[in-house]
Amino acid sequence: AKEDNFRAHTDGHAYGDLFPDYFFLLCAHACLEGGGNFLVDGYALLDALAADPENAWVPSALEARAVDQTSRLPSITPIVMRAPCGRRALRCRL
């Protein structure tokens, strides 16, 4: 049997570059089998990369380099963006 792999991603890509600050997920019906999920703390990941001398360049590269993250709406943006208040906003589809 083929095993399905659930890859890390940020929900809400259908919003394109106008994604909301908060995105809530609701389970309407629990599965009898499967249904597993996981969360990745993107901010902790960026901070850990910045603290490692060999990988300290990665967070700024993720903020500087635009990549195609198009889903339903076109979106060619960096994985890490800044809100007007300076808060980091992360989006990715791995």
Side-chain angles (χ1 to χ4, degrees), residues 3-62:
E3 187 175 322
D4 291 326
N5 291 324
F6 191 65
R7 298 180 347 178
H9 65 280
T10 304
D11 284 317
H13 274 269
Y15 294 102
D17 292 341
L18 303 174
F19 64 95
D21 281 339
Y22 300 97
F23 196 88
F24 296 94
L25 300 176
L26 171 69
C27 176
H29 302 284
C31 324
L32 295 176
E33 292 183 32
N37 278 296
F38 61 92
L39 296 174
V40 175
D41 185 340
Y43 299 115
L45 179 61
L46 288 173
D47 292 343
L49 288 167
D52 178 1
E54 289 187 30
N55 295 305
W57 62 272
V58 174
S60 60
L62 293 175

Side-chain angles (χ1 to χ4, degrees), residues 57-80:
W57 62 272
V58 174
S60 60
L62 293 175
E63 197 167 341
R65 172 77 83 161
V67 295
D68 188 349
Q69 300 192 73
T70 299
S71 182
R72 293 183 188 159
L73 297 175
S75 177
I76 300 175
T77 58
I79 289 174
V80 179

